[in-house]
Amino acid sequence: MTEAKIGIIGGSGLYKMDALKDIKEVHIETPFGSPSDALILGTLDEVKVAFLARHGRNHTLLPTELPFRANIYAMKKLGVEYIISASAVGSLKEEVKPLDMVVPDQFIDRTRNRISTFFGEGIVAHITFGEPICKNLAQVVADAIASLNLPDVNLHRGGIYVCMEGPAFSTKAESNLYRSWDATIIGMTNLQEAKLAREAEIAYATMALVTDYDCWHPDHDNVTVEMVVANLHSNAVNAQKVIQEAVRQLSTNPPKSEAHSALKYAILTRLDSVPAITKQKLAVILQKYI
Ligand SMILES: CSC[C@H]1O[C@H](OP(=O)(O)O)[C@H](O)[C@@H]1O
Ligand SMILES: Nc1ncnc2[nH]cnc12
């Protein structure tokens, strides 16, 4: 049964959504373990949504420890077709200022040893990932930001998100290397979510909230958690307004997404040769195909 078509993953500073009504907490177990926290089902202006605090509501999970597969699987199980991620990021460009919002369209993966696929154990699939963010969902998010005319917040449409392992922030040499690659922002969480969402045929887009200039900027202090948190507090209210507006748009005009058929040509294994136990494990993801 579909509980919610829209999922929201809240990152650092966004552990709950104040505007959510008719709240129900659901503890979902998955074949990939427990999600970061209970998922919160509720309504935003009468539209059903599922909210998840990425690091847990008390921020107890490191980026490396995040149960990415369980989080996306749980969303899929609830019937989610669109995920909006809200994430804190550092800026790698002068013109992308703290408190600005970025809707990235590309990633560079600098993580290590994170499992980023549901496949294996007798089933092989290779999704297309050249455009890792759903363009149409990204446009809804960016248009929602633009429509709110938030004071002191500039919107940047598109950009490269470097996903690093953490938890320590980057060295200056690394930060300058990413700048030389023309990357726009840096964070520690979104790449795995985007990949797994694509495998689960869920459209995914990010609203990145800029909190700092990382450590490359000669006129700004190196990033600290204190700096991130201070800027997040001023941005968390704006983030919720953006989500509310985007959800309104999505409910009245749900966009098409290539993500929704991502597995159509991705699975190489003949389905009748996939072990029953694997089929069962992935049933929620493979339901259209088995
Ligand atoms: C608190 S600064 C580092 C932390 O913030 C970002 O988290 P999220 O993407 O969940 O908002 C960044 O990726 C790090 O995990
Ligand atoms: N500078 C930074 N590097 C990585 N993740 C971040 N999240 C917020 N600021 C960050």
Side-chain angles (χ1 to χ4, degrees), residues 72-86:
I72 300 297
Y73 191 100
M75 288 278 180
K76 184 75 181 177
K77 207 166 166 187
L78 293 174
V80 165
E81 295 173 9
Y82 302 92
I83 292 178
I84 300 174
S85 151

Side-chain angles (χ1 to χ4, degrees), residues 28-40:
I28 300 177
E29 274 315 305
T30 82
F32 302 97
S34 311
S36 300
D37 204 326
L39 278 88
I40 312 295

Side-chain angles (χ1 to χ4, degrees), residues 32-98:
F32 302 97
S34 311
S36 300
D37 204 326
L39 278 88
I40 312 295
L41 286 171
T43 56
L44 270 183
D45 302 328
E46 324 251 296
V47 183
K48 287 182 186 172
V49 302
F51 176 85
L52 175 64
R54 175 182 289 122
H55 302 272
R57 68 190 70 185
N58 297 317
H59 207 128
T60 43
L61 296 166
L62 285 170
T64 309
E65 294 173 324
L66 293 179
F68 291 107
R69 291 192 295 182
N71 289 350
I72 300 297
Y73 191 100
M75 288 278 180
K76 184 75 181 177
K77 207 166 166 187
L78 293 174
V80 165
E81 295 173 9
Y82 302 92
I83 292 178
I84 300 174
S85 151
S87 267
V89 294
S91 165
L92 297 169
K93 285 187 186 287
E94 178 80 51
E95 66 273 22
V96 178
K97 299 186 173 58

